[in-house]
Amino acid sequence: MKRAILAIICSAVLIGAGFAIVQSANGDSDTYRPPTVKKVENPPTREELIKLVNVERARKGVESLKVDSRLNKSAQQKADDMQKYDYYAHQSTKSPNHNGDSHYWIFDTGISCVSSGENLDENSTAEAAVAAWNGSPSHYKAMVSKSYNATGFGISAKNKYGYYYLVEHFCQYP
């Protein structure tokens, strides 16, 4: 009985670490670790992001977003700030620049918005970032909001974990 409990505990620890225990019909067991996923070397692009976001908006019957160069600028500044000051948040005390707050980044470009918003992700591809936004109720709501009619994207250099910070800024023009 103690041996069975120990085997279950060891299995849980190994599975939690990315290993799987495979047991053959004769009772022999082996440890299997799936092959590592190859990291993507090319960064995601703004073109990929806007296409994927607008596909999702179309699926929901919402008008496509227009890319605004000022929002690209604000989103890029935010992505670079997160990478430089090593934070991943809508606001941060690590950043000396507006505490990282998206609304300041947006308004610093001179754009006038009735409302604005921000989606963030830390990922290796545009597909994975948009999938993450699709899976988060608050991010999805911003992405398909009928209120927003303009967007811009920022993509940082790889962070210390090998991922890109992806930032999407939204604006509702007056």
Side-chain angles (χ1 to χ4, degrees), residues 2-34:
K2 288 181 182 179
R3 186 174 176 184
I5 292 171
L6 181 59
I8 291 170
I9 292 170
C10 289
S11 297
V13 169
L14 289 172
I15 291 169
F19 292 89
I21 305 298
V22 179
Q23 189 164 19
S24 65
N26 68 4
D28 294 337
S29 62
D30 191 13
T31 303
Y32 169 75
R33 184 175 187 119

Side-chain angles (χ1 to χ4, degrees), residues 22-96:
V22 179
Q23 189 164 19
S24 65
N26 68 4
D28 294 337
S29 62
D30 191 13
T31 303
Y32 169 75
R33 184 175 187 119
T36 54
V37 176
K38 182 181 175 195
K39 287 197 176 180
V40 177
E41 294 302 319
N42 296 325
T45 66
R46 288 181 172 125
E47 292 77 17
E48 292 172 308
L49 289 164
I50 190 63
K51 179 182 175 188
L52 292 167
V53 166
N54 279 335
V55 163
E56 187 59 28
R57 287 176 67 88
R59 194 176 76 71
K60 295 297 282 183
V62 180
E63 188 177 325
S64 292
L65 293 168
K66 307 290 186 266
V67 175
D68 186 303
S69 62
R70 297 167 295 181
L71 293 172
N72 277 344
K73 180 180 178 182
S74 67
Q76 189 61 56
Q77 288 172 331
K78 173 65 182 268
D80 293 342
D81 194 68
M82 288 194 306
Q83 199 274 337
K84 181 177 181 178
Y85 295 104
D86 189 30
Y87 70 95
Y88 175 62
H90 294 287
Q91 294 183 339
S92 174
T93 56
K94 289 184 174 185
S95 171

Side-chain angles (χ1 to χ4, degrees), residues 52-53 56 59 127-137 139-140 143-144:
L52 292 167
V53 166
E56 187 59 28
R59 194 176 76 71
E127 293 84 2
V130 174
W133 293 334
N134 284 341
S136 164
H139 292 89
Y140 186 76
M143 189 171 63
V144 298

